[in-house]
Amino acid sequence: MAAFKSALSGNRLLSDNRLDQSGTCMTNTAPDQRSDGLHYIDMRDRVAGRIASGELKPTDKLPSERQLQEEMGLARGTVREGLFQLEAEGLIYRRDRSGWYVSPPPVVYDPTRWEGFISYVEAQGRVPATETMSAETIVADPLLAEVFGRRAGAPLYMIRRRRHVDGRAVLVEQIVVDAALTPDLLRFSFDQSLTEILKSAYGLSVARNVVSMQPCALTGYEAEVLGAKSGLPGLAVQRTSYDAQGRVVEFDREHWRHDAVRISVDTRVR
Amino acid sequence: MAAFKSALSGNRLLSDNRLDQSGTCMTNTAPDQRSDGLHYIDMRDRVAGRIASGELKPTDKLPSERQLQEEMGLARGTVREGLFQLEAEGLIYRRDRSGWYVSPPPVVYDPTRWEGFISYVEAQGRVPATETMSAETIVADPLLAEVFGRRAGAPLYMIRRRRHVDGRAVLVEQIVVDAALTPDLLRFSFDQSLTEILKSAYGLSVARNVVSMQPCALTGYEAEVLGAKSGLPGLAVQRTSYDAQGRVVEFDREHWRHDAVRISVDTRVR
DNA sequence: GAGTGGTCTAGACCACGGG
DNA sequence: CCGTGGTCTAGACCACTCT
């Protein structure tokens, strides 16, 4: 019913920045007309309202589940149902056994550009941080051998990092580079920009990116290191970067929290 | 602990097609070593195992929740918890009040190319279908006016469509085009390719795409028309297409089921 | 009308976070 | 240590689908 207006407003994609405003998609906190009788939706709307009004701001802690339960006269399970809704919408997130918090706005990310995470995030007025989880020499399994066009067993470097925005862990990544192109790479610290290292120390720069993205659930290792509950929606990004000679410079797999990122790509059509 | 092998296997992104094999990410059905004592995870693993083994195939219906409950000696809530995990991972989906089904593999989609949905899907051996929900003339609100570089109040066409793959509704989209560039557009049927219409009837082709993507929750209208429960993870895609003169040819917003799509982009670095 | 998932209640105990 | 969320049980009734 003539919903095109609302379809375009309450839009997290349109504005280029900062749009923690109104609501999320279309269900929205909207008027007050709601109260479908669905208790967990009412609960969702009430909390969403507090966020929209600014009563609760990004990174604020919500009242405890038991407080909300009492406050709204519901069973705890129903309260949690409403919280899961809000989490799925990216409005709130949880810290294990600590509580529920209001999500900050997402970071905008263009995986087709060869710019570092750090410059991206800073350009958006946020504070980036990187932790190197591991950096080691590995040998190419058949899969990686194919990616890099080497024999199985060829030496590669693998770096695992965790990245933060404003102190919150938002992604884990695992980068593989060809040891033949980057001798002695492990002498560097990877808490800074790898992009920069590859360019300045090895003269490698990227001419082509092949990127693949898929909504996923964060489970196992990724959920654990992001401090997320297994099953939290996420975004898996895989990037293969080539230089002008067609050599694979970087093979990168990233797992993002779903509420922490917005992908933006600008391309000429071939 | 030396998990890089498993980090690269069980990978839905790597292979270019069909990879309903092993598991999803890393938690995997893996060995049998599990049985953490977490009942809903056991339950997840058991069902995931049946899917991995081929005992349950895409589009197959799972046993009812009450059957699973009895079969595994769990409370129904616990069974549902496990089913939600599998849903989040994209392994299964539900049809409201009908049952749970095994998800078919996702479609690969490149939003930066100006090819139609139909050719994409067919090229992957799947059966596409399109339903036009509405097609109407609207006037530009301030937001759309800015997008199209017109005055507020300028005439535009808006088309809403629902797209299916193999009979399953996987996305809803809302396309806005400039009426000044496409006079009398509404005389066409939009169950076929809009791309084709714009090119052959109006000589419009696309030189540049600006695409933005964000994991989201499907709620309200989108959830409803996709037959999904509100809160289901989805992917919101917004595309603005320009022709060689820099005029906006199409402004498109799509909402996909999270388990139905994988995004792939191939770009030259500028 | 039978069977399915969707919602909701009112408990319980546990594992972990943080003071 | 206490408070938090995480897991789990055992019911109940409803709304809808399917045949």
Side-chain angles (χ1 to χ4, degrees):
Chain A
M1 315 82 170
F4 95 82
K5 186 74 177 299
S6 63
L8 283 170
S9 58
N11 181 339
R12 301 188 78 147
L13 287 173
L14 272 176
S15 354
D16 253 351
N17 236 327
R18 210 52 44 103
L19 44 174
D20 23 338
Q21 9 88 318
S22 41
T24 333
C25 276
M26 278 149 122
T27 314
N28 272 3
T29 317
D32 322 74
Q33 207 207 29
R34 188 128 291 143
S35 183
D36 313 69
L38 283 200
H39 293 169
Y40 77 90
I41 293 290
D42 281 351
M43 141 65 188
R44 185 225 92 104
D45 290 344
R46 287 222 252 167
V47 173
R50 291 190 205 173
I51 295 172
S53 75
E55 186 187 328
L56 286 168
K57 296 187 209 344
T59 76
D60 278 358
K61 189 173 191 293
L62 267 57
S64 79
E65 294 178 0
R66 286 165 176 92
Q67 267 175 276
L68 289 168
Q69 171 188 181
E70 194 160 347
E71 193 177 305
M72 306 199 177
L74 300 171
R76 195 173 144 222
T78 307
V79 168
R80 282 170 66 79
E81 186 96 4
L83 292 168
F84 296 157
Q85 277 278 324
L86 291 161
E87 183 188 42
E89 294 172 36
L91 290 184
I92 65 175
Y93 68 99
R94 44 183 150 172
R95 294 217 291 258
D96 192 66
R97 268 165 263 258
S98 160
W100 295 88
Y101 299 82
V102 179
S103 293
V107 164
V108 180
Y109 171 54
D110 183 344
T112 65
R113 290 181 177 272
W114 207 51
E115 288 174 44
F117 172 85
I118 296 171
S119 34
Y120 262 108
V121 173
E122 281 177 348
Q124 293 171 51
R126 314 288 289 272
V127 179
T130 304
E131 267 174 284
T132 303
M133 321 282 290
S134 68
E136 49 187 335
T137 304
I138 62 171
V139 294
D141 62 15
L143 194 57
L144 287 172
E146 195 192 321
V147 168
F148 284 90
R150 302 277 178 195
R151 281 191 312 280
L156 303 171
Y157 295 123
M158 170 177 278
I159 299 155
R160 262 186 227 284
R161 300 194 290 194
R162 175 165 55 184
R163 308 271 218 176
H164 303 253
V165 172
D166 298 338
R168 177 183 173 220
V170 297
L171 86 95
V172 285
E173 65 177 351
Q174 154 192 294
I175 308 174
V176 180
V177 301
D178 191 340
L181 297 181
T182 57
D184 207 16
L185 178 67
L186 298 187
R187 73 176 187 275
F188 292 98
S189 157
F190 302 111
D191 294 350
Q192 295 306 311
S193 167
L194 177 60
T195 299
E196 198 45 54
I197 295 171
L198 294 180
K199 187 190 292 182
S200 61
Y202 301 99
L204 292 171
S205 63
V206 167
R208 177 180 172 224
N209 275 304
V210 176
V211 180
S212 188
M213 285 166 274
Q214 187 171 26
C216 71
L218 302 175
T219 63
Y221 172 77
E222 297 119 10
E224 196 182 316
V225 301
L226 292 179
K229 183 180 178 297
S230 175
L232 181 80
L235 188 71
V237 178
Q238 175 178 297
R239 185 182 67 231
T240 312
S241 301
Y242 301 85
D243 70 3
Q245 287 87 62
R247 298 178 302 185
V248 174
V249 169
E250 258 186 71
F251 178 69
D252 182 19
R253 304 216 327 122
E254 306 172 1
H255 288 265
W256 289 77
R257 297 182 59 99
H258 82 303
D259 61 342
V261 65
R262 175 152 63 88
I263 304 293
S264 176
V265 179
D266 183 345
T267 60
R268 263 69 195 172
V269 171
R270 285 137 312 220
Chain B
M1 319 77 174
F4 94 84
K5 185 77 177 298
S6 64
L8 283 171
S9 58
N11 181 340
R12 301 189 78 147
L13 286 172
L14 272 177
S15 354
D16 253 350
N17 236 328
R18 209 52 44 106
L19 44 178
D20 23 338
Q21 9 89 317
S22 42
T24 335
C25 278
M26 280 149 123
T27 314
N28 271 3
T29 317
D32 322 75
Q33 206 207 29
R34 187 129 291 144
S35 185
D36 313 68
L38 283 200
H39 293 168
Y40 78 92
I41 292 291
D42 282 350
M43 140 64 188
R44 184 226 94 103
D45 290 344
R46 286 222 251 167
V47 174
R50 289 192 206 172
I51 295 172
S53 75
E55 185 187 330
L56 287 168
K57 294 188 211 344
T59 76
D60 277 359
K61 190 174 190 293
L62 267 56
S64 79
E65 294 178 0
R66 286 164 175 93
Q67 268 175 273
L68 289 168
Q69 171 189 181
E70 195 160 348
E71 192 177 305
M72 310 202 176
L74 300 171
R76 196 172 144 223
T78 307
V79 168
R80 283 170 66 79
E81 186 96 1
L83 292 168
F84 296 156
Q85 276 276 323
L86 291 161
E87 183 188 42
E89 294 172 36
L91 290 184
I92 65 175
Y93 68 99
R94 43 183 150 172
R95 293 217 292 259
D96 193 66
R97 268 164 262 259
S98 161
W100 294 87
Y101 299 82
V102 179
S103 294
V107 163
V108 181
Y109 171 53
D110 183 344
T112 65
R113 289 181 179 273
W114 207 50
E115 289 173 44
F117 173 86
I118 296 171
S119 34
Y120 263 107
V121 173
E122 281 177 347
Q124 293 172 49
R126 315 289 287 272
V127 180
T130 304
E131 267 173 284
T132 303
M133 321 282 291
S134 69
E136 51 187 332
T137 304
I138 62 172
V139 294
D141 63 16
L143 194 55
L144 286 172
E146 195 191 321
V147 168
F148 284 91
R150 302 277 179 196
R151 281 190 311 278
L156 303 170
Y157 295 123
M158 170 178 278
I159 300 153
R160 260 185 228 284
R161 302 194 288 196
R162 175 164 55 185
R163 307 270 219 176
H164 303 253
V165 172
D166 298 337
R168 178 183 173 220
V170 296
L171 85 95
V172 286
E173 67 177 349
Q174 155 191 298
I175 307 173
V176 180
V177 301
D178 192 341
L181 298 181
T182 57
D184 207 16
L185 178 67
L186 298 186
R187 73 177 186 277
F188 292 99
S189 157
F190 302 111
D191 294 350
Q192 297 304 312
S193 168
L194 177 61
T195 299
E196 198 44 54
I197 295 171
L198 294 181
K199 187 190 293 182
S200 61
Y202 301 98
L204 292 171
S205 63
V206 167
R208 179 181 171 221
N209 275 303
V210 176
V211 179
S212 188
M213 286 168 274
Q214 187 170 28
C216 72
L218 303 175
T219 63
Y221 172 78
E222 299 118 10
E224 196 183 315
V225 301
L226 292 179
K229 184 179 178 297
S230 175
L232 181 79
L235 188 71
V237 178
Q238 175 178 297
R239 186 181 68 231
T240 313
S241 302
Y242 300 85
D243 70 3
Q245 287 87 61
R247 298 177 303 184
V248 174
V249 169
E250 258 187 70
F251 177 70
D252 182 19
R253 302 215 332 124
E254 307 173 1
H255 287 265
W256 290 76
R257 296 182 62 99
H258 81 301
D259 61 343
V261 66
R262 174 152 65 89
I263 303 292
S264 177
V265 178
D266 183 345
T267 60
R268 260 70 194 172
V269 171
R270 288 136 312 219

